[in-house]
Amino acid sequence: MTSHPTTAPAMAHGVSHSSDSLPAHIAVIMDGNGRWAKARGLPRIEGHRRGLEALRGLVRAADQRGIRFLTVYSFSSENWRRPAEEVSELLGLLRYFIRQDVADLSARNVRIRIIGRRNDLPDDIAVLLREAETTTASNTGLTLIIAFNYGARDELLRATQALASQVAEGRLAVADMSEQHICDALDTSGLPDPDLLIRTSGEVRLSNFMMWQLAYTELVFLPVAWPDFDAAALDGALVEFSHRQRRFGGLTEPSAEQARGQV
Ligand code: IPE
Ligand code: IPE
Ligand code: MG
């Protein structure tokens, strides 16, 4: 395994060029819990519980390998379409995770960010999410970004509304709008774009995940169900990533200086 970058990745236009073969930011679509459970004759919630164990393992493994940013898709804006019982169990699992794990994560210097729509969540969940962010805000280790009640289209809609308000109030001229304004209006404001996306379960689609931020991300789709994802699977994806040549529209990989946004 190669050493991790010692400088923060460049964030101009929300693009992170990791100057190393190790991704600075990994995004994960944790899919396949239900099928994992069904294959074992278990209720779907058991798959979600085992999925939480896999998430705990991923956070540890990513941290040990020097990953700086880890975004995990835990509940989409479309997952409300599932039966009420499953939705309620998933909300319960989020409550359990925040109550159970945040203190330990904070002790390990993990900073938590939540992305997704907040204003139609149950009040107690909104409070838990805010507390998870505020209690870990000054941590300097791995940033764990939890996408909850998140959909890329919903995020872009809210960003568009925010920018339209700035224009309507005379605070922003249409001609001055840049990609950076959009980056700053997204939930991921201030975060570098993912370098590597991993989706488990064999599905090969984005399911409304980070559609702006993934523009130049390397995509890895694995057949493994999420509860079976482990450190070895992460290492396999990292090896795959290290073999990819990223060009960002140019003809060669960016130089280290370009990667740091210095030229
Ligand atoms: C991912 O597993 C977890 C969530 C979407 C909340 P699924 O629940 O989608 O599992 P499958 O895809 O039905 O197997
Ligand atoms: C994506 O998985 C959402 C999460 C993993 C949280 P889904 O299971 O909801 O995606 P589709 O419905 O198969 O596209
Ligand atoms: Mg699924």
Side-chain angles (χ1 to χ4, degrees):
M1 194 55 49
T2 50
S3 66
H4 63 275
T6 49
T7 51
M11 290 181 208
H13 301 277
V15 173
S16 149
H17 303 298
S18 67
S19 54
D20 203 73
S21 60
L22 188 70
H25 184 173
I26 301 180
V28 184
I29 302 178
M30 309 183 290
D31 194 22
N33 294 349
R35 279 165 283 171
W36 181 93
K38 189 171 180 217
R40 288 159 182 78
L42 298 168
R44 288 178 60 86
I45 181 63
E46 198 50 39
H48 297 312
R49 288 197 192 107
R50 292 293 295 265
L52 175 56
E53 293 304 319
L55 171 60
R56 286 171 167 153
L58 170 65
V59 174
R60 276 187 188 280
D63 200 13
Q64 283 164 357
R65 283 152 185 75
I67 305 301
R68 304 296 302 151
F69 300 89
L70 175 66
T71 300
V72 293
Y73 203 7
S74 68
F75 190 88
S76 78
S77 43
E78 287 72 37
N79 286 148
W80 299 103
R81 294 174 185 160
R82 295 187 178 197
E85 189 189 353
E86 178 163 345
V87 168
S88 151
E89 286 167 342
L90 286 167
L91 295 184
L93 209 52
L94 176 77
R95 287 186 182 97
Y96 169 78
F97 170 71
I98 300 280
R99 293 198 182 112
Q100 201 72 24
D101 286 44
V102 168
D104 178 54
L105 289 169
S106 192
R108 288 192 274 137
N109 203 18
V110 173
R111 181 170 65 127
I112 296 175
R113 273 272 296 262
I114 317 286
I115 59 172
R117 180 180 283 263
R118 303 283 182 102
N119 63 6
D120 51 6
L121 290 176
D123 288 345
D124 72 306
I125 292 210
V127 169
L128 281 173
L129 296 181
R130 204 169 334 114
E131 282 176 2
E133 286 183 313
T134 50
T135 55
T136 63
S138 57
N139 290 345
T140 55
L142 173 77
T143 299
L144 174 64
I145 301 130
I146 301 171
F148 188 82
N149 193 22
Y150 175 88
R153 289 181 176 180
D154 179 66
E155 179 190 37
L156 280 164
L157 169 63
R158 288 182 287 105
T160 304
Q161 288 170 327
L163 291 171
S165 297
Q166 290 180 33
V167 171
E169 290 161 13
R171 290 186 284 127
L172 175 64
V174 169
D176 291 340
M177 268 175 80
S178 65
E179 290 187 10
Q180 191 63 50
H181 284 97
I182 298 176
C183 291
D184 293 344
L186 295 172
D187 295 347
T188 49
S189 148
L191 298 169
D193 288 341
D195 303 292
L196 169 64
L197 170 84
I198 300 169
R199 182 172 186 151
T200 59
S201 92
E203 306 296 356
V204 184
R205 56 176 171 257
L206 294 183
S207 302
N208 204 11
F209 190 49
M210 298 187 97
M211 285 168 357
W212 170 277
Q213 298 88 341
L214 293 175
Y216 273 104
T217 302
E218 296 298 324
L219 311 179
V220 170
F221 297 95
L222 300 176
V224 64
W226 176 249
D228 288 332
F229 186 90
D230 58 11
L234 174 65
D235 288 338
L238 290 174
V239 168
E240 168 73 29
F241 177 83
S242 71
H243 293 145
R244 302 276 179 96
Q245 202 203 2
R246 305 182 77 190
R247 289 187 289 272
F248 300 96
L251 298 180
T252 54
E253 299 231 26
S255 67
E257 289 71 29
Q258 283 171 325
R260 283 194 293 271
Q262 291 169 350
V263 288

